Amino acid sequence: AGDEVLAGTANLLRQVLSEHKREDDFVGHAGAGNFILISTSDIAPTLAGEIKSRFNASVKDYYSKEDRKRGYMMPPEGTGMTVPLMKMTVGIISSEGVTFTELRELNEAALEARYKDSQEE
């Protein structure tokens, strides 16, 4: 199911960019469940909001009817913990006025932006 979610997310990103006629934008898979989208600052918030909204609405399709109804997954027997359903967080970072000299700096900025987005919900 994880591979299906990744493929579905990649398709969603391409679809949204196509609908907005963003042929020059870049989409890449950065590993694990992380994607990168490079666009312009004027459209980035619109793209991010639409992608996040559509992902969060459609990701429930990857879960069983019971999990959707509960709002979480049941873990293997004996662990006593529940697993929340997936949701997307989006971090927008700008290169305006900033110079990233190392990939680590870029990763840290992206992580901080995604964390901020997760706290706004």
Side-chain angles (χ1 to χ4, degrees):
D3 289 343
E4 290 178 21
V5 173
L6 289 175
T9 302
N11 288 334
L12 171 63
L13 294 169
R14 287 191 297 267
Q15 182 179 14
V16 170
L17 290 179
S18 176
E19 291 169 5
H20 286 271
K21 305 198 182 332
R22 305 298 302 176
E23 294 85 13
D24 293 334
D25 289 358
F26 172 81
V27 173
H29 182 220
N34 298 306
F35 288 84
I36 184 169
L37 188 153
I38 299 174
S39 189
T40 57
S41 59
D42 61 323
I43 191 78
T46 299
L47 295 174
E50 188 169 333
I51 290 165
K52 182 177 173 179
S53 175
R54 287 166 67 171
F55 175 89
N56 290 340
S58 67
V59 75
K60 291 175 177 59
D61 295 340
Y62 294 98
Y63 292 96
S64 70
K65 184 178 179 180
E66 295 81 19
D67 289 341
R68 288 192 304 263
K69 186 175 181 178
R70 273 193 306 268
Y72 58 88
M73 289 178 20
M74 295 300 294
E77 291 295 321
T79 61
M81 298 171 53
T82 59
V83 179
L85 302 183
M86 287 182 280
K87 62 181 178 178
M88 180 179 279
T89 57
V90 176
I92 298 176
I93 55 175
S94 173
S95 63
E96 294 174 10
V98 178
T99 302
F100 296 106
T101 58
E102 297 179 21
L103 183 56
R104 178 190 52 79
E105 294 172 338
L106 182 61
N107 283 334
E108 286 175 2
L111 180 62
E112 184 177 320
R114 287 192 315 265
Y115 177 76
K116 181 181 174 186
D117 181 56
S118 72
Q119 298 304 300
E120 293 175 357
E121 296 178 358

